[in-house]
Amino acid sequence: MLLQGALLLLLALPSHGEDNMQDPPLPKGACAGWMAGIPGHPGHNGTPGRDGRDGTPGEKGEKGDPGLVGPKGDTGETGITGIEGPRGFPGTPGRKGEPGESAYVYRSAFSVGLERQVTVPNVPIRFTKIFYNQQNHYDGTTGKFLCNIPGLYYFSYHITVYLKDVKVSLYKNDKALLFTHDQFQDKNVDQASGSVLLYLEKGDQVWLQVYEGENHNGVYADNVNDSTFTGFLLYHNIVE
């Protein structure tokens, strides 16, 4: 076996005359008499490789331009009331107000009664029994109340009726404003009354008077029966 291997080695060695004519070496693993073949077709694409690892964060960029203003949001809920703040400095005084009403109390009132049974129709009834007339605005000699303080007044009268029918009216400045009629019943004493609110100017006069003659003049008074006339100021009207 050794001899046979040595012979094969000698045959494989090239001669000196063939050194310059030596063929290029065969590719590794190629057999004797190898020839280059036709290029093959391109192979199919391989499957995508796996994602690489995340890179390191880059440097912070420059601040961008401001964006557009967004729409106005909904109104939020009312917050909790805060604690009371410190007291401020006094403000400047306001303008002077309008003059108010005077503290003076205006008074005008009277209450009178009939002392005599005798009255005359169609003229003021003279009530001469004075219950109250401190301001002397009622004149017992004429039977008239004279307004000294303009304002709203209340007047009332209470008449005892006896022996005849009664027709009594309340006058203001020669004009009858209120009428009262009572028909007398035999052997009896009747009562007639009336009341009214009147606005009076200074100088106005108010009184009671029997109208339609003597047959309706049953106004009566004695020591147990009264006929009265009363009036007083409710509120005055300020005159500048």
Side-chain angles (χ1 to χ4, degrees):
M1 293 295 292
L2 294 175
L3 181 57
Q4 190 178 8
L7 290 176
L8 291 174
L9 181 60
L10 290 175
L11 290 174
L13 293 174
S15 63
H16 294 287
E18 296 177 351
D19 290 341
N20 295 329
M21 300 296 290
Q22 188 177 4
D23 293 329
L26 294 174
K28 185 177 179 181
C31 60
W34 172 85
M35 291 180 65
I38 300 171
H41 296 288
H44 297 290
N45 293 332
T47 57
R50 292 181 298 174
D51 293 338
R53 296 179 181 179
D54 294 337
T56 56
E59 296 181 359
K60 184 177 180 180
E62 296 180 359
K63 185 176 181 180
D65 297 329
L68 299 176
V69 178
K72 184 178 180 180
D74 297 333
T75 303
E77 296 180 359
T78 304
I80 301 173
T81 303
I83 58 175
E84 185 177 354
R87 185 174 182 179
F89 295 104
T92 56
R95 294 184 299 175
K96 185 177 180 180
E98 298 294 332
E101 294 188 8
S102 171
Y104 178 78
V105 178
Y106 293 86
R107 293 182 175 90
S108 179
F110 72 94
S111 184
V112 293
L114 192 65
E115 285 186 303
R116 303 187 293 151
Q117 161 179 349
V118 178
T119 58
V120 180
N122 302 315
V123 296
I125 301 174
R126 294 176 59 230
F127 294 88
T128 56
K129 182 190 291 186
I130 306 300
F131 299 112
Y132 180 87
N133 191 28
Q134 186 173 354
Q135 294 81 33
N136 292 317
H137 293 168
Y138 171 80
D139 187 353
T141 60
T142 62
K144 296 181 179 181
F145 167 78
L146 177 62
C147 176
N148 287 266
I149 303 171
L152 183 67
Y153 286 80
Y154 174 79
F155 295 96
S156 67
Y157 53 88
H158 175 81
I159 303 298
T160 298
V161 181
Y162 185 58
L163 299 178
K164 300 178 183 179
D165 295 348
V166 161
K167 287 186 177 181
V168 174
S169 59
L170 183 140
Y171 279 76
K172 173 187 173 183
N173 299 335
D174 295 322
K175 181 178 181 181
L177 300 181
L178 190 65
F179 297 88
T180 301
H181 179 205
D182 182 81
Q183 190 172 17
F184 174 69
Q185 303 295 325
D186 290 340
K187 299 179 182 180
N188 197 4
V189 176
D190 292 343
Q191 308 291 333
S193 61
S195 61
V196 67
L197 286 172
L198 293 178
Y199 181 82
L200 302 181
E201 298 287 353
K202 187 174 181 179
D204 288 342
Q205 293 180 317
V206 177
W207 67 89
L208 288 179
Q209 182 171 306
V210 174
Y211 66 96
E212 290 194 2
E214 188 62 36
N215 290 333
H216 297 93
N217 189 16
V219 178
Y220 180 80
D222 58 23
N223 58 342
V224 293
N225 294 282
D226 283 306
S227 292
T228 61
F229 182 33
T230 299
F232 54 88
L233 174 67
L234 288 177
Y235 63 84
H236 73 282
N237 183 30
I238 299 176
V239 178
E240 300 295 338

